[in-house]
Amino acid sequence: MTFDRYRRRKRVNVLVSALAFLCAAITIIPLLMILGHLLAQGAKAVNLDFFTQLPKPVGEVGGGMANAIVGTLILIGLACLVGLPIGIIGGIYLAEFGNNKTGWLVRFMSDVLNGTPSIVIGIFAYTVVVLPMKRFSALAGGFALGIIMIPTVIRATEELVKLVPTSVREAGLALGIPQWRVILRIVVPSAKAGIVTGVLLAVARIGGETAPLLFTAFGNQFWQRRLDQPIASLPVQIFTYAISPFEDWHRQAWAGALVLVAMILITSVLTRVVTKGQDRSMR
Amino acid sequence: MLTGLAVEKLGACFGQKQVLNGISMTIGPNLVTAIIGPSGCGKSTLIRCLNRLHETVPGARQSGRVLLDGQDISQMDPVQVRRTIGMVFQKPNPFPSMSIYDNVAAGLRLNGVRKRHRLDEYVEKSLRMGALWEEVADRLDKPGISLSGGQQQRLCIARAIAIEPKVLLMDEPCSALDPVSTGKIEELIQELKKALTIVIVTHNMQQAARVSDYTGFLLLGELIEFDETPKLFTNPRDKRTEDYITGRFG
Amino acid sequence: MSSSEAFPASGVPPRAGGTNVADRLFKGTTLLFALSVVAIMVLMAGAMLRTALPAIRAFGWHFPFTSTWDPVAERFGALPFIYGTLVSSLLALSIAVPLSLGGAIFLVELAPHWLAQPIAFLIDLLASIPSVVYGLWGIFVLAPWLRTTVQPALGALLGVLPLFQGPAYGVGMLAAGMILAIMVIPFISGVSREVLMAVPNSQREAALALGATKWEAIRTAVLPYSRSGIIGAIILGLGRALGETMAVTMVIGNRPEIALSLFAPGYTMASVIANEFAEATSDFHLAALIEIGLLLFGVTILVNGLARLLVWSVAGNGAATVRE
């Protein structure tokens, strides 16, 4: 009787373990499928033209997304101009002086910002940049993406600066070095690799953002050098092409998606390499 | 000029916890003053009050005064205070992102020395004084944290004396070190004494007896006895001091 | 060590009331940058409120409860979008929660390290794929599969339920729910793993020492200990699903109607903003869209605030960073 019960318990245990394994397996199936389709469809469509040509007008086959690739890089650059100073300097405040109510408020707001849908941030950029300028522009898109970066960068900076031991700060202070120089010249450099990791993570995240760009950077079929004009970006171009009725544009959308995901994954790998480099120097 | 410190009715606490109470003592110029006492008695807090590092700890408070050549340090710029009063910590703490050279040069650079040949000169001089030059002269560009524990501590001493402080605080500088390194640092203290005033905290009574001119015995945040070292060790006035130095204590 | 000529007084007055002026300046500057985060949030709410004001004035409390959406006649009600957002998100959670939790339990409690690490890595990788790529996959792979295979089968099997009736379009609420599920899995799974790992080993050992099997130990010791953290993880996933835009816009069908069937097309708050904002016909139309954005903003603040409190209570501050 007791033995039977024990066997039943054992069977339940095995059953549940199998179910749990199944759950884990099912969750990675979509990833494998998406990556598989990306490779299969994208590889067919990617060619040299894709990287060097402008989009062709509707109905013509061929062309590429050169302007969108460059546009995405420009938008990321603009975003860094907005997001990095606030993220890094704000993170330094949180790590060094943020053990108070102000710090709590900033942390809370940064978390709320992190949970705010990117499209809402797009609306914000529209109201404060597009409306006053009366036109869609790269600046508005960069502004929106920059705000999206802030929470990731501020968190990473705070956590990594906090990891620098107090003894290092005290060693600096005891040398009669002013606190601000101790922080900027000794503490922050010690946390540099980690902060770079956080920044790269944030860049990878905004690189794929589409929604906030729809009505800020808008899109452009041509090269655009001026930052106060609409600019193309890879994600928006993929979206436009994917929902279009043209076969050749679908092909290009897959190519764009493959390139975009490759860029993001390469950034992640880069992040890993940088982090490894730090490990070595710490040893 | 000779520089001494005077401590007047110094009290210190963390939050509600009082760790120092009514400490008064005079730290004479160009002498080595040792602070001894069982662990947790407030030795470290005491010397951290002397260069205003105590106040950087959240929740730390302090009463009484510390005078540097007659001037109240709490009224001075903390940066100036710490430039005059250097410190060596219990655990060696070289700057992790810097080479050996840059560690020693850090204080100089951040205090405004820019010219390379001046820096070279000061770095070599300081490393020689820190009895480390011979060991590291050929690898100054290696990270400071690549050195052994004893070498790291001497690097920290070199870093501290590079900016030519008038007083050097040493918070159990040998507690993490092997006997050979400890010996080297004790010799170094005798050498440094010619140029500056030293306050050393130690839980090692033999060390205090060996290196210091004056010794203070601290117990539960109070200065029980403060006297010339030979006197305190051979003829203590207080029963508690006697118990401690004869090992009849906790 | 005699001279101090090497050290020019570096611009700092020797007496400054006991503090260093440059240090105070530095602290003030960093404070300013940190506070700009707060300013952004306040400005965001303020700017949106101001531009949405015409719509708020015109429709008042009726706005979220009216189902007409007619830009030409300038009559706006957000109900179909709120409905679509809620239904697609709940559908997504009902798929994602069991899978994420089961997966997290497997990875933290059961799997050997060599297997758990790569799987966890792959699941985390799901979070780094851009929304628009999910949408692309949704349009060209998921939706056709639903249309040709899944929906006919579901209709035959469960067609008596109103949920599974109607023509199979492929795109629609079901497709949106499934794509959202895939997208929130890495968030729910990641935070759940964090929360489970925060359960002290002594809890597991106590149960095992009583003769419990592994599953019994998980059920009696681990899960109760981490319950509020897991609920937090789920709500965090809900916050993500509510605001997710591109993938949903691409597969939900974009029809502002309330239909009971999961096969029917729908519309969400984020989608209508994405589709109509750049081409809004009038300032009034724009105001109505921004009011929807404002509602979305308010809901996600509430949801995320709640989730964070729950997760923090278990796993400490760190868990909330498992987002990217």
Side-chain angles (χ1 to χ4, degrees):
Chain A
M1 160 97 190
T2 23
F3 185 67
D4 269 1
R5 193 139 155 226
Y6 177 68
R7 281 220 326 220
R8 200 170 57 89
R9 286 172 52 202
K10 277 294 244 198
R11 271 207 302 273
V12 170
N13 190 43
V14 170
L15 191 73
V16 174
S17 304
L19 265 176
F21 168 74
L22 209 63
C23 287
I26 291 174
T27 49
I28 57 171
I29 287 174
L31 175 77
L32 300 179
M33 285 180 70
I34 291 170
L35 291 181
H37 278 108
L38 264 183
L39 278 178
Q41 305 282 336
K44 268 192 294 185
V46 171
N47 50 29
L48 191 62
D49 280 358
F50 181 86
F51 296 99
T52 56
Q53 301 288 308
L54 285 177
K56 282 267 173 15
V58 178
E60 284 179 47
V61 172
M65 294 194 187
N67 60 336
I69 296 174
V70 174
T72 284
L73 296 178
I74 290 176
L75 285 169
I76 289 176
L78 288 172
C80 288
L81 289 182
V82 176
L84 294 193
I86 297 180
I88 292 177
I89 302 177
I92 290 174
Y93 173 83
L94 289 182
E96 297 289 336
F97 314 109
N99 206 353
N100 51 23
K101 282 206 178 105
T102 314
W104 183 89
L105 179 71
V106 172
R107 248 172 240 121
F108 179 77
M109 284 298 180
S110 150
D111 279 347
V112 171
L113 183 57
N114 196 21
T116 302
S118 58
I119 193 149
V120 171
I121 294 168
I123 296 179
F124 174 53
Y126 180 88
T127 55
V128 298
V129 186
V130 176
L131 279 184
M133 287 175 70
K134 296 196 172 59
R135 66 160 76 100
F136 300 118
S137 65
L139 288 175
F143 177 77
L145 295 185
I147 288 177
I148 296 172
M149 282 180 89
I150 292 173
T152 313
V153 177
I154 214 170
R155 256 287 171 198
T157 307
E158 178 189 1
E159 274 169 18
L160 284 136
V161 169
K162 266 188 181 160
L163 279 185
V164 177
T166 317
S167 65
V168 170
R169 290 183 182 79
E170 291 189 339
L173 290 178
L175 284 177
I177 304 172
Q179 190 182 19
W180 68 275
R181 293 191 103 157
V182 171
I183 292 170
L184 289 186
R185 301 288 292 274
I186 296 166
V187 176
V188 172
S190 306
K192 194 174 64 192
I195 296 174
V196 170
T197 307
V199 169
L200 288 178
L201 272 178
V203 165
R205 179 178 168 188
I206 60 166
E209 277 292 351
T210 317
L213 296 180
L214 292 173
F215 38 83
T216 52
F218 197 63
N220 201 321
Q221 294 295 99
F222 306 100
W223 289 108
Q224 184 50 260
R225 281 175 208 286
R226 290 181 51 181
L227 297 180
D228 62 348
Q229 296 291 331
I231 195 170
S233 63
L234 209 40
V236 172
Q237 198 80 341
I238 295 168
F239 173 64
T240 318
Y241 277 21
I243 60 170
S244 79
F246 311 113
E247 192 74 25
D248 193 55
W249 280 14
H250 296 165
R251 184 186 65 79
Q252 295 235 21
W254 280 106
L258 179 64
V259 171
L260 182 62
V261 170
M263 280 163 72
I264 289 171
L265 290 187
I266 287 170
T267 311
S268 310
V269 171
L270 209 68
T271 310
R272 258 158 222 278
V273 172
V274 169
T275 318
K276 279 246 176 68
Q278 180 201 27
D279 286 352
R280 214 171 301 126
S281 76
M282 291 299 271
R283 219 172 288 134
Chain B
M1 193 182 100
L2 303 175
T3 301
L5 285 167
V7 178
E8 290 179 357
K9 296 200 187 93
L10 183 71
C13 37
F14 292 109
Q16 296 302 312
K17 193 167 166 277
Q18 185 91 23
V19 286
L20 286 180
N21 205 353
I23 310 276
S24 293
M25 63 198 290
T26 307
I27 293 161
N30 288 55
L31 294 173
V32 177
T33 303
I35 315 276
I36 59 168
S39 56
C41 68
K43 303 182 296 265
S44 291
T45 307
L46 173 56
I47 68 164
R48 289 167 61 91
C49 285
L50 301 185
N51 68 345
R52 294 188 56 184
L53 263 192
H54 176 63
E55 70 190 32
T56 64
V57 180
R61 283 180 299 132
Q62 176 182 332
S63 60
R65 299 199 300 170
V66 176
L67 303 176
L68 175 68
D69 286 337
Q71 205 180 356
D72 185 350
I73 62 168
S74 69
Q75 298 303 311
M76 295 167 67
D77 182 343
V79 169
Q80 290 292 344
V81 171
R82 294 174 194 141
R83 205 174 285 179
T84 318
I85 306 176
M87 182 162 182
V88 175
F89 296 78
Q90 183 169 0
K91 221 175 130 251
N93 53 0
F95 298 130
S97 57
M98 295 184 191
S99 67
I100 295 172
Y101 181 96
D102 289 337
N103 258 286
V104 181
L108 298 161
R109 282 210 182 101
L110 297 177
N111 277 313
V113 181
R114 289 272 174 273
K115 290 202 185 90
R116 183 74 194 190
H117 69 272
R118 296 289 313 249
L119 281 175
D120 286 349
E121 197 179 297
Y122 273 99
V123 168
E124 179 175 344
K125 186 171 142 200
S126 310
L127 283 170
R128 280 190 194 283
M129 288 206 61
L132 191 61
W133 178 254
E134 315 293 334
E135 292 162 56
V136 300
D138 56 340
R139 47 179 174 140
L140 290 174
D141 56 336
K142 295 280 178 310
I145 42 177
S146 66
L147 297 172
S148 75
Q151 289 173 323
Q152 284 192 20
Q153 192 63 302
R154 277 178 281 147
L155 175 65
C156 291
I157 294 175
R159 181 179 65 187
I161 57 184
I163 56 168
E164 301 184 345
K166 305 240 169 67
V167 181
L168 186 63
L169 309 174
M170 305 180 99
D171 185 2
E172 307 217 21
C174 304
S175 70
L177 304 184
D178 59 279
V180 176
S181 305
T182 302
K184 281 193 174 154
I185 286 176
E186 286 180 10
E187 278 170 35
L188 188 56
I189 290 172
Q190 294 310 318
E191 203 50 44
L192 292 174
K193 184 180 146 179
K194 294 171 191 157
L196 34 77
T197 306
I198 293 176
V199 182
I200 178 170
V201 158
T202 176
H203 62 267
N204 180 336
M205 281 174 282
Q206 286 74 32
Q207 184 170 61
R210 280 194 301 267
V211 302
S212 72
D213 303 300
Y214 278 81
T215 298
F217 171 55
L218 209 58
L219 183 63
L220 297 173
E222 297 195 32
L223 187 64
I224 304 298
E225 191 165 344
F226 182 62
D227 214 332
E228 287 172 37
T229 300
K231 240 187 195 166
L232 187 123
F233 277 99
T234 52
N235 193 10
R237 273 170 293 149
D238 196 289
K239 179 79 170 66
R240 288 167 292 181
T241 316
E242 190 184 337
D243 285 349
Y244 182 71
I245 60 176
T246 50
R248 256 174 281 159
F249 211 92
Chain C
M1 304 219 110
S2 52
S3 75
S4 62
E5 30 137 25
F7 317 113
S10 66
V12 185
R15 276 169 147 263
T19 57
N20 186 284
V21 179
D23 280 349
R24 272 187 296 178
L25 258 172
F26 176 74
K27 186 176 172 182
T29 312
T30 59
L31 173 66
L32 223 60
F33 277 85
L35 282 179
S36 66
V37 177
V38 182
I40 285 170
M41 294 309 285
V42 173
L43 212 66
M44 185 161 357
M48 286 172 65
L49 204 60
R50 197 167 47 90
T51 26
L53 213 54
I56 298 173
R57 282 229 185 86
F59 304 116
W61 286 110
H62 297 296
F63 186 73
F65 304 108
T66 315
S67 49
T68 326
W69 184 264
D70 187 348
V72 180
E74 300 212 321
R75 303 210 34 86
F76 299 106
L79 189 60
F81 311 112
I82 296 174
Y83 174 84
T85 298
L86 286 180
V87 172
S88 60
S89 299
L90 293 180
L91 184 61
L93 284 190
S94 64
I95 300 169
V97 167
L99 288 176
S100 313
L101 278 188
I105 289 174
F106 175 73
L107 293 178
V108 175
E109 304 288 336
L110 304 168
H113 193 68
W114 60 266
L115 184 62
Q117 274 228 298
I119 295 184
F121 171 76
L122 288 177
I123 294 177
D124 289 343
L125 212 57
L126 275 173
S128 63
I129 294 179
S131 178
V132 71
V133 174
Y134 278 105
L136 183 72
W137 183 77
I139 292 182
F140 293 112
V141 182
L142 180 66
W145 179 62
L146 289 178
R147 188 178 61 234
T148 57
T149 315
V150 177
Q151 289 178 342
L154 274 176
L157 211 64
L158 300 163
V160 284
L161 298 173
L163 281 180
F164 304 106
Q165 287 169 354
Y169 292 106
V171 295
M173 202 60 95
L174 184 63
M178 285 181 70
I179 210 104
L180 272 179
I182 298 172
M183 294 180 75
V184 297
I185 278 175
F187 297 102
I188 302 180
S189 168
V191 180
S192 300
R193 286 201 307 264
E194 197 90 4
V195 167
L196 289 179
M197 280 192 272
V199 177
N201 244 333
S202 57
Q203 297 280 320
R204 292 182 186 91
E205 283 163 1
L208 291 174
L210 290 175
T213 62
K214 267 206 159 167
W215 163 241
E216 286 162 345
I218 294 166
R219 195 176 43 121
T220 57
V222 176
L223 290 182
Y225 190 96
S226 49
R227 187 171 50 212
S228 62
I230 289 174
I231 295 173
I234 294 170
I235 300 179
L236 217 53
L238 176 65
R240 279 276 143 176
L242 291 174
E244 183 43 56
T245 311
M246 296 320 296
V248 178
T249 305
M250 292 163 85
V251 299
I252 201 169
N254 298 330
R255 196 161 75 188
E257 275 168 27
I258 296 174
L260 204 51
S261 173
L262 295 181
F263 294 176
Y267 222 152
T268 69
M269 298 159 84
S271 300
V272 71
I273 300 172
N275 277 328
E276 297 188 3
F277 203 95
E279 286 133 29
T281 46
S282 66
D283 283 353
F284 197 62
H285 186 187
L286 205 63
L289 287 169
I290 293 177
E291 187 175 355
I292 291 182
L294 206 56
L295 287 175
L296 192 58
F297 188 38
V299 171
T300 49
I301 289 178
L302 282 181
V303 166
N304 279 300
L306 190 61
R308 253 139 236 286
L309 287 181
L310 286 167
V311 175
W312 280 356
S313 69
V314 188
N317 240 330
T321 57
V322 190
R323 314 251 5 218
E324 263 60 51

